[in-house]
Amino acid sequence: MSQTKNFNLPDLGEGLPDATIVEWFVKEGDVIKLDEPLVSMETAKAVVEVPSPFSGTVLKLSGAAGDIITTGAVLASFALDPNLPQRADGQDTGHSHGHAAPAAAAAPTPPPLPTAAAPVAAEEAKPAAAERDDAGTVVGAMQSSNAVHAEQALAVGGVKAVPAVRATARKLGVDLSRVRATGADGAVTMADVKQAAADGSAKIGAAPAAVAAPAAAALAPAQVTAPVQSDARTPLSAAGKPMRTQPPGVVAKGQPEPLKGVRRNMARVMADAHSKVVPTTLNDDADIHAWLPGNDVTARLVRSIVVAAQKVPAMNAWFDGEALTRTLHAQVDIGIAVDTDDGLFVPALRNADMLDARGIREGVNRLREQVEARSIAASELSGYTISLSNFGMFAGRYATPVVVPPCVAIVGAGRARHQMTPVMGGVEAHKVIPLSVTFDHRAATGGEAARFLRAMMDDLALAS
């Protein structure tokens, strides 16, 4: 009789409590070998492929695509095949698994699982990234990356694509088997999926055009005589009389849906920040009238934060509210807020105090591309010493951006505008960038925050 074992979902990040199933690569009854891809999971950090820790027959899959699985819960059950290679019990696998019999036994906390989707290393970032048009400092307007890395692309059902592409296709309702692949070795790229979603050429469940056309023609006579049913909202009833209003709870048709992945983590982080931080915000305008042509807004904002942090170290710090301790940092690592359809990412621009304008631009481009491709390492999404959000790429002058512990401060940049400025002999139209600095008043004083903001404004006022 073959031995039965359970595979518990390992911690796919740094203490992440759960993950969402994107796609199973096997079904119940299939035979799978050790380390072959088992399932694609989406966490708050990335989309990763989880390999099988056993060789044998898949007895049970705990959940379907879109289901949320708690870390440590049973993900799949296997009947081991003694004729296939197995990993030794004492060998470190990065997985958490156990026998199926003692179901009530508590599973030990598993160590992090190495992801199959290896992050793109910083040194591999292409110089061409620096030549792209600046799509803004950080929030939104991200550049798409069409690069498909051969070691990440997995062929499932005859279609080769990386996990992030598969996840995007599922969210957009695109059938990967009907998408025209343009990537290396016939892999479907992110751009291919988005193009198919835009033109509707590969919708899941849609009939081929050649079949759909005759069917539509055959139904045409019936559609002429059948009463037209419309889902459009109208203030009139079927009888042509005004409809009686009802409470929103009665007429609401939308169904609650669980937050997943990045949005789920964002909800937790923001709630935690709101309960711990004592936020205070200062606002002012930085006059950039003296800027010479060719100045990179992103680079200048980052440089001004570095200058201000060096002059007021209390703002480039971490604060422990329970121990009441403060850590001042010599280096300046800036968290760059990146807004995506999936939610908010905040990758870290490391050692910003050592970068020139070109280095800053290349670093921001690299982070943006890795976030878009969902290939960024979990370690790059934490450990920053201060944050920057450029919400002004869309709209808004001032804001009260949220300080996420242990950081002490965050800078928000609003939408640049021209305003009339008094000068000797009259007034001039000067371009200004609205700035908002939110700080944790438990760790920094109002004077320190004001001096930090003043230092940023003075640096931004320079010609270059």
Side-chain angles (χ1 to χ4, degrees):
M1 182 176 179
S2 62
Q3 185 181 11
T4 300
K5 280 198 173 184
N6 290 334
F7 174 39
N8 302 321
L9 177 66
D11 183 354
L12 301 177
E14 299 175 348
L16 296 176
D18 50 45
T20 303
I21 298 173
V22 175
E23 180 179 13
W24 287 105
F25 300 133
V26 296
K27 60 182 181 295
E28 294 178 358
D30 285 355
V31 175
I32 189 171
K33 294 182 180 179
L34 179 69
D35 289 333
E36 285 186 344
L38 173 67
V39 64
S40 177
M41 304 291 295
E42 180 181 18
T43 72
K45 309 287 186 178
V47 177
V48 299
E49 289 173 2
V50 180
S52 174
F54 310 113
S55 294
T57 303
V58 179
L59 297 179
K60 183 177 177 56
L61 302 178
S62 301
D67 288 350
I68 298 171
I69 306 297
T70 303
T71 299
V74 176
L75 184 61
S77 299
F78 301 83
L80 303 190
D81 189 336
N83 298 319
L84 293 176
Q86 303 289 346
R87 186 173 283 110
D89 289 339
Q91 186 175 355
D92 182 14
T93 64
H95 302 142
S96 173
H97 53 81
H99 296 279
T109 303
L113 175 73
T115 64
V120 180
E123 60 270 20
E124 294 176 350
K126 295 184 178 179
E131 300 173 5
R132 294 174 121 166
D133 292 337
D134 183 7
T137 307
V138 251
V139 176
M142 299 188 306
Q143 300 290 348
S144 298
S145 173
N146 294 334
V148 176
H149 304 278
E151 68 276 13
Q152 297 178 8
L154 176 70
V156 178
V159 180
K160 183 180 291 187
V162 298
V165 170
R166 294 182 182 279
T168 301
R170 183 175 295 278
K171 290 178 182 178
L172 298 179
V174 172
D175 184 351
L176 282 176
S177 65
R178 301 174 59 190
V179 175
R180 180 177 177 272
T182 62
D185 299 324
V188 177
T189 68
M190 191 72 73
D192 296 338
V193 170
K194 292 181 177 180
Q195 178 61 38
D199 59 28
S201 60
K203 291 183 179 179
I204 293 178
V211 177
L219 292 175
Q223 293 174 349
V224 174
T225 57
V228 177
Q229 299 293 332
S230 174
D231 292 333
R233 299 179 65 184
T234 172
L236 302 179
S237 68
K241 297 181 180 180
M243 294 182 66
R244 190 184 298 260
T245 58
Q246 293 179 323
V250 177
V251 300
K253 294 181 180 179
Q255 296 296 321
E257 61 177 5
L259 296 180
K260 300 175 184 177
V262 181
R263 286 189 181 275
R264 190 177 182 87
N265 186 65
M266 180 179 67
R268 292 194 185 104
V269 170
M270 293 301 164
D272 180 68
H274 181 72
S275 66
K276 292 181 178 179
V277 176
V278 181
T280 304
T281 304
L282 296 181
N283 308 114
D284 211 328
D285 295 323
D287 192 321
I288 60 172
H289 180 66
W291 279 18
L292 299 176
N295 268 287
D296 185 324
V297 177
T298 301
R300 290 299 302 268
L301 284 169
V302 168
R303 190 186 80 177
S304 69
I305 291 176
V306 169
V307 170
Q310 292 173 337
K311 290 185 178 180
V312 189
M315 299 288 280
N316 184 51
W318 289 347
F319 178 70
D320 187 333
E322 295 184 0
L324 293 181
T325 59
R326 183 181 68 166
T327 303
L328 303 182
H329 299 284
Q331 84 283 3
V332 182
D333 295 341
I334 302 179
I336 304 295
V338 178
D339 183 60
T340 74
D341 292 339
D342 294 325
L344 180 67
F345 287 82
V346 187
L349 180 65
R350 306 290 183 191
N351 300 310
D353 52 307
M354 300 178 64
L355 301 176
D356 58 11
R358 179 177 178 179
I360 293 171
R361 167 50 50 203
E362 291 177 349
V364 170
N365 283 346
R366 174 179 58 81
L367 293 174
R368 183 185 292 131
E369 290 166 2
Q370 290 182 359
V371 166
E372 172 72 8
R374 296 297 295 271
S375 63
I376 191 164
S379 60
E380 294 299 311
L381 296 172
S382 61
Y384 42 85
T385 60
I386 191 169
S387 304
L388 168 64
S389 173
N390 186 14
F391 60 88
M393 281 303 302
F394 302 113
R397 292 186 181 180
Y398 310 103
T400 54
V402 178
V403 176
V404 176
C407 288
V408 170
I410 180 173
V411 176
R415 189 169 186 82
R417 71 183 191 279
H418 286 86
Q419 70 176 19
M420 300 308 297
T421 303
V423 296
M424 291 293 292
V427 294
E428 293 179 351
H430 284 198
K431 192 172 186 178
V432 298
I433 297 179
L435 299 176
S436 301
V437 177
T438 297
F439 64 100
D440 189 342
H441 217 326
R442 300 175 302 167
T445 68
E448 288 169 331
R451 290 193 292 275
F452 178 91
L453 181 56
R454 179 74 263 172
M456 280 192 66
M457 294 166 59
D458 289 344
D459 185 75
L460 288 170
L462 299 177
S464 61

